[in-house]
Amino acid sequence: MKKILISFLLCLMATCVMADEQKKVTLSSNHDNEMISLSYCNIFVNLKEVDDGVGEVSIEMENLSESKVLILFDRSYTEKQVKKFSPKMKFDKTFGGTKGKRITDPCSEQLSRVMQLRPSDKQSLPSVRVENETTKKVTLPVYIAKYKGSKTLILLEKQVIELDIEAELKPSAEYIQMNTECEQLIREITNTGICPNKSHRTSADKQKEDYQNRIDAMKGKIDEIISSHGWSSDDAGYRRFAELKSKLDGVEFVERDCGRHKAPVASGHRCSYCGLSLQQIYHRLDDLYKKIYSSSDRKAAKAKVMSQVNALYNCCTDTKCSKHAAQWRKGGDYKSKIVERYNRINSL
């Protein structure tokens, strides 16, 4: 009974020593490396952007001990299996678990071999990919061992290190350029609109066709970028550029007289929203605001409806609109509500 009690206490002491280390690492384009210092090792984490919205993170470990060996396993091994290694490995009698049935824990990232870091050694672990503004968890069960003679390593304890790696990446120059071109085209279509005046040099249908051809050409350039990177629909870069295509698909062709004709139409402004009252326009904007706010992806939801939001707002504020211009000049509750709701949508 005395031997059993002593063995139990020793196992309990060993278990208490095995405290997990949980470390959060936040990397960005302006802070691309970080060192984690523990009592027995240093861990170096470095970020390198490899694709739009995706970073490659390298991890290195340095053994600080002057006498201990740090071991990382590529997969689970039984006690019987580790005894056949060279040098052979044995669990210390104080190591937790049932003797003869203990199994090693592997790293969460697949190693190509069992990694041994002798005193002062520094070795690289497999790199991991981290998407922009997401967290990648890396688990490193580190076995601390010492040599018994020259051919046997005694596994003394296990320390589990958990790294929560976050990456905050800036958009690539390629994305910034493409986004700028898309926004310029959308702004031009939204602000200029389709002139329905029969005196216009090109018909309304031809104007729509020309704009649609430019949209399709822009979407073609986006597809070429996606193809050149070999992205699939699961890749962050694909999703980022696909959002631009969604913005282009959401553009509405609003009819608006350009005002450059000798005989302009009487209204001076005409669009599909002219038949609405200011109250109805406010409720449309309020519905769109709620739709964006309750979406799981506000950015994408906003991009899909912004052309409609702008068209509704322009219908109210256009001084040539025979339906709303006079009401807008008078002001009132619904004018202030429309302005407030429009600004709220833009701030999302």
XYZ file of all heavy atoms in Angstrom, residues 138-209:
573
model
N -2.521 26.292 -33.446
C -1.425 25.334 -33.612
C -1.100 24.748 -32.239
O -0.794 25.484 -31.301
C -0.173 26.006 -34.216
C 0.974 24.998 -34.315
C -0.494 26.597 -35.591
N -1.179 23.431 -32.132
C -0.916 22.749 -30.855
C 0.413 22.011 -30.933
O 0.625 21.194 -31.840
C -2.050 21.759 -30.523
O -3.297 22.452 -30.517
C -1.826 21.126 -29.158
N 1.286 22.304 -29.975
C 2.630 21.718 -29.943
C 2.841 20.995 -28.612
O 3.194 21.620 -27.609
C 3.694 22.803 -30.116
C 3.589 23.706 -31.354
C 4.615 24.826 -31.273
C 3.774 22.900 -32.621
N 2.625 19.680 -28.577
C 2.958 18.929 -27.362
C 4.486 18.705 -27.316
O 5.027 17.958 -28.128
C 2.213 17.597 -27.539
C 1.287 17.804 -28.712
C 1.949 18.836 -29.566
N 5.143 19.381 -26.391
C 6.605 19.330 -26.299
C 6.996 18.379 -25.157
O 6.626 18.587 -23.996
C 7.199 20.728 -26.036
C 8.721 20.649 -25.958
C 6.762 21.702 -27.123
N 7.737 17.337 -25.508
C 8.211 16.382 -24.498
C 9.628 16.777 -24.086
O 10.516 16.918 -24.927
C 8.197 14.962 -25.061
C 6.791 14.412 -25.201
C 5.978 14.787 -26.273
C 6.259 13.533 -24.254
C 4.686 14.292 -26.403
C 4.964 13.042 -24.370
C 4.187 13.427 -25.446
O 2.903 12.944 -25.556
N 9.814 16.963 -22.796
C 11.119 17.329 -22.260
C 11.803 16.063 -21.759
O 11.233 15.299 -20.965
C 10.973 18.351 -21.118
C 10.273 19.613 -21.648
C 12.325 18.710 -20.526
C 9.969 20.642 -20.581
N 13.001 15.833 -22.268
C 13.691 14.560 -21.979
C 15.144 14.810 -21.596
O 15.687 15.897 -21.819
C 13.610 13.645 -23.204
N 15.758 13.792 -21.012
C 17.183 13.855 -20.697
C 17.830 12.518 -21.067
O 17.162 11.466 -21.122
C 17.408 14.153 -19.220
C 16.991 13.024 -18.280
C 17.343 13.346 -16.839
C 16.951 12.185 -15.899
N 17.305 12.479 -14.493
N 19.093 12.583 -21.343
C 19.816 11.366 -21.704
C 20.167 10.559 -20.462
O 20.545 11.097 -19.422
C 21.101 11.708 -22.465
C 20.910 11.754 -23.961
C 20.733 12.973 -24.606
C 20.892 10.582 -24.712
C 20.551 13.027 -25.974
C 20.717 10.619 -26.083
C 20.541 11.840 -26.706
O 20.362 11.874 -28.059
N 20.003 9.276 -20.583
C 20.500 8.337 -19.589
C 21.537 7.506 -20.312
O 21.206 6.631 -21.123
C 19.374 7.458 -19.051
C 19.826 6.506 -17.957
C 18.666 5.681 -17.447
C 19.117 4.735 -16.341
N 17.984 3.894 -15.838
N 22.784 7.786 -20.045
C 23.840 7.201 -20.849
C 23.885 7.907 -22.192
O 23.516 9.068 -22.317
N 24.290 7.218 -23.237
C 24.387 7.848 -24.559
C 23.361 7.310 -25.537
O 23.238 7.833 -26.650
C 25.796 7.620 -25.130
O 26.058 6.225 -25.252
N 22.591 6.307 -25.134
C 21.683 5.651 -26.083
C 20.224 5.650 -25.656
O 19.385 5.062 -26.334
C 22.142 4.205 -26.322
C 23.522 4.102 -26.951
C 23.885 2.657 -27.220
C 25.254 2.546 -27.888
N 25.606 1.130 -28.183
N 19.911 6.305 -24.533
C 18.526 6.289 -24.040
C 18.084 7.691 -23.643
O 18.788 8.396 -22.919
C 18.385 5.347 -22.827
O 18.827 4.036 -23.188
C 16.924 5.290 -22.379
N 16.897 8.070 -24.124
C 16.282 9.332 -23.742
C 15.113 9.041 -22.812
O 14.218 8.249 -23.141
C 15.774 10.083 -24.979
C 16.776 10.995 -25.696
C 16.190 11.484 -27.020
C 17.152 12.189 -24.822
N 15.119 9.682 -21.655
C 14.036 9.507 -20.682
C 13.057 10.681 -20.831
O 13.440 11.850 -20.672
C 14.579 9.470 -19.239
C 15.670 8.385 -19.098
C 13.434 9.223 -18.257
C 15.168 6.978 -19.376
N 11.795 10.361 -21.146
C 10.758 11.388 -21.281
C 10.289 11.780 -19.889
O 9.621 11.008 -19.202
C 9.592 10.861 -22.126
C 9.954 10.349 -23.533
C 8.715 9.822 -24.242
C 10.620 11.438 -24.354
N 10.629 12.997 -19.479
C 10.348 13.435 -18.117
C 8.949 14.031 -17.969
O 8.235 13.752 -17.001
C 11.380 14.484 -17.686
C 12.852 14.041 -17.745
C 13.755 15.240 -17.470
C 13.108 12.927 -16.741
N 8.555 14.878 -18.901
C 7.261 15.561 -18.802
C 6.833 16.057 -20.175
O 7.633 16.082 -21.120
C 7.338 16.744 -17.845
C 8.377 17.797 -18.240
C 8.369 18.994 -17.308
O 7.360 19.728 -17.344
O 9.355 19.176 -16.570
N 5.584 16.476 -20.244
C 5.030 17.022 -21.478
C 4.462 18.412 -21.203
O 3.703 18.600 -20.258
C 3.925 16.105 -22.024
C 3.237 16.662 -23.280
C 2.115 15.756 -23.773
C 0.949 15.748 -22.802
N -0.197 14.961 -23.314
N 4.839 19.369 -22.052
C 4.290 20.721 -21.993
C 3.530 20.971 -23.303
O 4.100 20.861 -24.389
C 5.396 21.759 -21.830
C 6.154 21.673 -20.520
C 5.375 22.306 -19.381
O 4.423 23.040 -19.588
N 5.797 22.024 -18.152
N 2.263 21.303 -23.200
C 1.457 21.556 -24.395
C 1.374 23.070 -24.636
O 0.872 23.809 -23.800
C 0.041 20.966 -24.253
C -0.778 21.261 -25.514
C 0.111 19.464 -24.009
N 1.890 23.481 -25.778
C 1.851 24.898 -26.169
C 0.763 25.075 -27.221
O 0.766 24.385 -28.244
C 3.202 25.351 -26.750
C 4.340 25.050 -25.767
C 3.169 26.840 -27.090
C 5.717 25.237 -26.368
N -0.156 25.990 -26.966
C -1.208 26.296 -27.936
C -1.008 27.721 -28.441
O -1.025 28.677 -27.663
C -2.596 26.143 -27.311
C -2.987 24.691 -27.072
C -4.434 24.564 -26.621
O -5.086 25.607 -26.408
O -4.900 23.420 -26.472
N -0.817 27.826 -29.751
C -0.649 29.142 -30.386
C -1.928 29.499 -31.132
O -2.386 28.743 -31.996
C 0.525 29.115 -31.370
C 1.892 28.696 -30.832
C 2.915 28.694 -31.960
C 2.343 29.607 -29.703
N -2.524 30.627 -30.779
C -3.660 31.165 -31.525
C -3.124 32.299 -32.393
O -2.883 33.413 -31.916
C -4.751 31.680 -30.583
C -5.446 30.558 -29.835
O -5.562 29.464 -30.408
O -5.851 30.765 -28.682
N -2.941 32.007 -33.678
C -2.280 32.946 -34.579
C -3.322 33.685 -35.411
O -4.120 33.065 -36.118
C -1.283 32.211 -35.505
C -0.271 31.410 -34.667
C -0.562 33.199 -36.408
C 0.639 30.528 -35.490
N -3.305 35.010 -35.321
C -4.198 35.850 -36.108
C -3.369 36.670 -37.094
O -2.244 37.069 -36.784
C -5.002 36.800 -35.225
C -6.018 36.094 -34.330
C -6.839 37.079 -33.517
O -6.562 38.297 -33.601
O -7.766 36.644 -32.809
N -3.938 36.926 -38.263
C -3.251 37.727 -39.276
C -4.149 38.868 -39.728
O -5.320 38.662 -40.019
C -2.874 36.850 -40.476
N -3.588 40.064 -39.736
C -4.303 41.245 -40.224
C -3.522 41.767 -41.432
O -2.535 42.481 -41.287
C -4.406 42.304 -39.126
C -5.190 41.830 -37.899
C -5.144 42.819 -36.752
O -4.439 43.844 -36.883
O -5.813 42.572 -35.728
N -3.970 41.384 -42.605
C -3.226 41.666 -43.824
C -3.836 42.819 -44.606
O -5.056 42.938 -44.711
C -3.194 40.415 -44.715
C -2.641 39.143 -44.055
C -2.841 37.958 -44.967
C -1.161 39.316 -43.740
N -2.979 43.652 -45.162
C -3.455 44.726 -46.025
C -3.828 44.130 -47.391
O -3.229 43.166 -47.838
C -2.356 45.779 -46.220
C -2.024 46.582 -44.977
C -0.953 47.608 -45.288
C -0.615 48.452 -44.058
N 0.468 49.424 -44.349
N -4.810 44.723 -48.060
C -5.128 44.268 -49.417
C -3.912 44.436 -50.328
O -3.130 45.372 -50.166
C -6.275 45.195 -49.851
C -6.846 45.716 -48.576
C -5.703 45.813 -47.621
N -3.764 43.557 -51.292
C -2.645 43.644 -52.223
C -2.829 44.833 -53.160
O -3.941 45.339 -53.353
C -2.543 42.359 -53.044
O -3.683 42.224 -53.883
N -1.718 45.258 -53.772
C -1.782 46.364 -54.736
C -2.689 45.993 -55.902
O -3.396 46.837 -56.459
C -0.379 46.700 -55.226
N -2.685 44.717 -56.260
C -3.528 44.222 -57.349
C -5.008 44.404 -57.005
O -5.809 44.854 -57.845
C -3.219 42.743 -57.583
C -3.934 42.104 -58.750
C -3.512 40.665 -58.927
O -3.464 39.911 -57.913
O -3.227 40.268 -60.064
N -5.367 44.090 -55.755
C -6.760 44.232 -55.329
C -7.149 45.709 -55.243
O -8.242 46.101 -55.661
C -6.986 43.565 -53.978
C -8.372 43.818 -53.421
C -9.450 43.065 -53.843
C -8.597 44.845 -52.498
C -10.729 43.318 -53.364
C -9.873 45.109 -52.017
C -10.931 44.332 -52.452
O -12.188 44.591 -51.994
N -6.268 46.521 -54.678
C -6.561 47.959 -54.536
C -6.834 48.579 -55.898
O -7.774 49.361 -56.073
C -5.395 48.671 -53.820
C -5.294 48.198 -52.359
C -5.578 50.180 -53.875
C -4.080 48.727 -51.634
N -6.014 48.230 -56.908
C -6.191 48.761 -58.254
C -7.525 48.324 -58.844
O -8.278 49.136 -59.402
C -5.044 48.292 -59.156
C -5.177 48.688 -60.615
C -5.151 50.192 -60.824
O -4.528 50.910 -60.055
N -5.814 50.670 -61.870
N -7.849 47.032 -58.680
C -9.089 46.506 -59.244
C -10.300 47.103 -58.546
O -11.302 47.434 -59.181
C -9.097 44.975 -59.104
C -10.128 44.271 -59.978
S -9.623 44.271 -61.710
C -10.808 45.407 -62.402
N -10.213 47.261 -57.236
C -11.313 47.846 -56.466
C -11.553 49.300 -56.882
O -12.703 49.743 -57.003
C -11.004 47.768 -54.975
C -12.138 48.295 -54.109
O -13.264 47.818 -54.185
N -11.848 49.288 -53.300
N -10.462 50.041 -57.112
C -10.583 51.434 -57.544
C -11.280 51.529 -58.890
O -12.170 52.370 -59.097
C -9.188 52.088 -57.631
O -8.567 52.045 -56.345
C -9.291 53.529 -58.093
N -10.899 50.648 -59.824
C -11.516 50.664 -61.153
C -13.001 50.329 -61.075
O -13.826 50.947 -61.769
C -10.796 49.677 -62.069
C -9.377 50.082 -62.426
C -8.712 49.090 -63.361
O -9.428 48.290 -63.999
O -7.465 49.102 -63.450
N -13.357 49.365 -60.229
C -14.765 48.981 -60.074
C -15.581 50.126 -59.481
O -16.678 50.432 -59.961
C -14.885 47.744 -59.185
S -14.353 46.209 -59.958
N -15.029 50.772 -58.449
C -15.748 51.866 -57.809
C -15.940 53.040 -58.774
O -16.992 53.693 -58.766
C -15.000 52.322 -56.559
C -15.092 51.334 -55.397
C -14.427 51.855 -54.142
O -13.663 52.839 -54.243
O -14.677 51.284 -53.066
N -14.936 53.320 -59.595
C -15.047 54.411 -60.563
C -16.148 54.129 -61.570
O -16.944 55.020 -61.907
C -13.708 54.621 -61.277
C -12.636 55.258 -60.402
C -11.284 55.329 -61.098
O -11.055 54.666 -62.117
N -10.379 56.122 -60.538
N -16.222 52.887 -62.057
C -17.248 52.529 -63.027
C -18.637 52.587 -62.403
O -19.585 53.128 -62.997
C -16.979 51.130 -63.579
C -18.011 50.582 -64.580
C -18.160 51.535 -65.764
C -17.619 49.182 -65.050
N -18.768 52.051 -61.188
C -20.071 52.062 -60.498
C -20.519 53.493 -60.233
O -21.694 53.841 -60.419
C -19.986 51.266 -59.179
C -19.789 49.773 -59.469
C -21.248 51.467 -58.341
C -19.472 48.942 -58.251
N -19.582 54.345 -59.809
C -19.912 55.740 -59.531
C -20.364 56.456 -60.813
O -21.321 57.234 -60.799
C -18.706 56.452 -58.922
C -19.034 57.818 -58.321
C -17.812 58.500 -57.756
N -17.068 57.639 -56.863
C -15.868 57.115 -57.077
N -15.270 57.339 -58.077
N -15.268 56.349 -56.263
N -19.684 56.170 -61.916
C -20.045 56.803 -63.185
C -21.452 56.395 -63.611
O -22.269 57.243 -64.007
C -19.045 56.403 -64.274
C -19.380 56.979 -65.634
C -18.441 56.492 -66.726
O -17.361 55.965 -66.393
O -18.809 56.627 -67.910
N -21.745 55.090 -63.529
C -23.070 54.604 -63.932
C -24.152 55.169 -63.021
O -25.220 55.599 -63.486
C -23.103 53.062 -63.910
C -22.137 52.501 -64.956
C -24.507 52.542 -64.168
C -21.970 50.996 -64.897
N -23.880 55.191 -61.711
C -24.876 55.662 -60.747
C -25.125 57.160 -60.882
O -26.276 57.619 -60.865
C -24.416 55.343 -59.309
O -24.214 53.935 -59.180
C -25.468 55.783 -58.301
N -24.059 57.937 -61.030
C -24.208 59.399 -61.075
C -24.714 59.887 -62.428
O -25.490 60.850 -62.497
C -22.877 60.072 -60.751
C -22.450 59.840 -59.306
O -23.267 59.496 -58.461
N -21.174 60.023 -59.023
N -24.267 59.248 -63.508
C -24.673 59.691 -64.846
C -26.047 59.152 -65.211
O -26.910 59.884 -65.691
C -23.643 59.241 -65.898
O -22.356 59.727 -65.535
C -24.023 59.757 -67.273
N -26.261 57.875 -64.960
C -27.540 57.265 -65.274
C -27.749 57.079 -66.767
O -26.843 57.284 -67.584
N -28.955 56.701 -67.124
C -29.334 56.494 -68.512
C -30.242 57.646 -68.944
O -31.296 57.875 -68.343
C -30.086 55.154 -68.694
C -29.250 53.982 -68.154
C -30.467 54.947 -70.151
C -27.949 53.760 -68.876
N -29.805 58.375 -69.937
C -30.606 59.502 -70.396
C -31.708 58.993 -71.330
O -31.415 58.436 -72.398
C -29.739 60.524 -71.120
S -30.694 61.960 -71.693
N -32.999 59.213 -70.966
C -34.099 58.712 -71.790
C -34.543 59.689 -72.878
O -35.450 59.380 -73.665
C -35.209 58.513 -70.748
C -34.973 59.603 -69.753
C -33.488 59.820 -69.714
N -33.913 60.860 -72.898
C -34.334 61.892 -73.842
C -34.145 61.406 -75.282
O -33.073 60.924 -75.652
C -33.512 63.163 -73.610
C -34.126 64.380 -74.285
O -34.391 64.385 -75.481
N -34.341 65.423 -73.494
N -35.184 61.565 -76.097
C -35.126 61.094 -77.482
C -34.112 61.863 -78.307
O -33.698 61.409 -79.385
C -36.514 61.185 -78.115
C -37.540 60.259 -77.479
C -38.860 60.316 -78.211
C -39.909 59.427 -77.534
N -39.496 58.022 -77.504
N -33.710 63.032 -77.810
C -32.706 63.821 -78.529
C -31.281 63.393 -78.193
O -30.319 63.929 -78.763
C -32.886 65.314 -78.200
O -34.162 65.771 -78.574
N -31.134 62.484 -77.239
C -29.788 62.032 -76.861
C -29.131 61.310 -78.034
O -29.808 60.615 -78.808
C -29.878 61.098 -75.651
C -28.577 60.957 -74.919
N -28.147 61.872 -73.979
C -27.599 60.024 -74.999
C -26.975 61.491 -73.509
N -26.621 60.365 -74.115
N -27.824 61.469 -78.162
C -27.115 60.922 -79.313
C -27.297 59.418 -79.440
O -27.418 58.883 -80.542
C -25.621 61.258 -79.214
C -24.816 60.836 -80.435
C -23.386 61.326 -80.339
N -22.708 60.781 -79.174
C -21.434 61.049 -78.871
N -20.738 61.884 -79.637
N -20.886 60.529 -77.793
N -27.279 58.710 -78.320
C -27.506 57.265 -78.331
C -28.780 56.958 -77.549
O -29.104 57.631 -76.571
C -26.327 56.510 -77.700
O -26.082 57.036 -76.386
C -25.078 56.653 -78.531
N -29.479 55.938 -77.983
C -30.727 55.572 -77.318
C -30.463 55.039 -75.919
O -29.334 54.653 -75.588
C -31.459 54.500 -78.139
O -30.717 53.289 -78.125
N -31.524 54.995 -75.105
C -31.396 54.481 -73.736
C -30.923 53.030 -73.751
O -30.087 52.629 -72.939
C -32.726 54.613 -72.995
N -31.447 52.249 -74.689
C -31.054 50.835 -74.782
C -29.568 50.701 -75.120
O -28.883 49.823 -74.590
C -31.897 50.116 -75.839
C -33.339 49.891 -75.386
O -33.576 49.961 -74.157
O -34.201 49.643 -76.245
N -29.096 51.569 -76.026
C -27.677 51.502 -76.409
C -26.794 51.939 -75.251
O -25.701 51.376 -75.037
C -27.428 52.410 -77.611
C -25.991 52.334 -78.151
C -25.678 50.928 -78.664
C -24.374 50.900 -79.463
N -23.187 51.215 -78.679
N -27.243 52.939 -74.478
C -26.481 53.359 -73.303
C -26.348 52.210 -72.298
O -25.271 51.970 -71.748
C -27.160 54.557 -72.636
C -27.166 55.833 -73.467
C -28.022 56.905 -72.832
O -27.764 57.337 -71.706
N -29.056 57.342 -73.542
N -27.470 51.503 -72.050
C -27.450 50.356 -71.140
C -26.515 49.270 -71.658
O -25.758 48.662 -70.892
C -28.858 49.794 -70.964
C -29.816 50.710 -70.221
C -31.215 50.110 -70.162
C -32.193 51.070 -69.503
N -33.574 50.532 -69.494
N -26.575 49.029 -72.972
C -25.723 47.997 -73.576
C -24.247 48.344 -73.404
O -23.419 47.483 -73.073
C -26.064 47.852 -75.056
C -25.240 46.779 -75.777
C -25.531 46.712 -77.263
O -26.549 47.305 -77.706
O -24.742 46.090 -77.996
